[in-house]
Amino acid sequence: MKLIEQYRIVDKGYHPFLIRDGWQVAQLNYTPEQKIGNIEKLDIHHLTDEVFILLKGKAVLIGATIIGEDVMFVTELMKPNVTYNIPADTWHNIAMRMDCEIIIVEKSNTHERDFEFFPLNEEKKKEMEILVNRAFDENLSY
């Protein structure tokens, strides 16, 4: 057994890499599906909070409340070295710019069974895109 383990994920997309009893760490690296304008849906986890930490690049967390077919968005430009939590039962997604890397911490095996998707119609995708671009543009120092 190594006393100090080390991980570095360079492939695009979502990669759970440290899965232990009850929790896991994953890395989400930029992928075209997370580019604003390409995001098609929101997702939710019913059994876990989901923690996000920006390693590098730019990203905007997207939270949403859904009542019937109506979606109301909130957005937050992520800052490096700040821990963000999306509570269980919260609709969300994340918009990323190229070369962005994010660490995610959540209950183990969330990626296998604790998720549900809500597809966005064209009107809601456009609304979300405007809000995300505004968040990216309002704070250009990150």
Side-chain angles (χ1 to χ4, degrees):
M1 175 170 111
K2 288 180 77 173
L3 295 180
I4 299 175
E5 297 175 348
Q6 189 176 94
Y7 303 90
R8 177 73 178 126
I9 310 300
V10 296
D11 294 335
K12 291 182 179 184
Y14 175 79
H15 304 278
F17 62 87
L18 186 58
I19 301 172
R20 298 293 188 259
D21 187 31
W23 59 274
Q24 71 183 25
V25 179
Q27 186 162 333
L28 177 62
N29 293 335
Y30 172 82
T31 180
E33 292 83 14
Q34 297 308 132
K35 178 181 176 184
I36 194 58
N38 294 343
I39 296 175
E40 298 283 330
K41 62 187 181 279
L42 300 170
D43 61 288
I44 194 170
H45 308 294
H46 299 289
L47 303 176
T48 187
D49 286 13
E50 189 170 13
V51 171
F52 295 85
I53 303 167
L54 178 66
L55 295 179
K56 74 174 201 174
K58 288 189 176 185
V60 172
L61 277 173
I62 304 160
T65 303
I66 300 174
I67 300 172
E69 292 298 313
D70 191 29
V71 181
M72 291 154 285
F73 298 105
V74 296
T75 58
E76 177 128 0
L77 179 69
M78 295 181 73
K79 297 177 179 96
N81 303 311
V82 174
T83 301
Y84 297 89
N85 186 53
I86 300 291
D89 287 322
T90 301
W91 290 99
H92 64 282
N93 208 321
I94 186 164
M96 303 171 77
R97 294 246 169 112
M98 194 169 276
D99 297 326
C100 184
E101 296 178 1
I102 295 171
I103 291 292
I104 297 174
V105 181
E106 58 199 350
K107 279 189 179 179
S108 56
N109 300 310
T110 295
H111 63 288
E112 293 179 352
R113 58 182 166 265
D114 179 25
F115 56 87
E116 183 180 338
F117 298 116
F118 183 88
L120 296 168
N121 63 34
E122 291 302 317
E123 176 186 345
K124 288 299 175 180
K125 285 191 276 190
K126 189 64 178 166
E127 179 183 335
M128 180 180 62
E129 184 175 351
I130 290 167
L131 291 170
V132 167
N133 283 328
R134 188 176 299 149
F136 275 132
D137 293 341
E138 284 180 358
N139 196 335
L140 298 174
S141 64
Y142 290 104

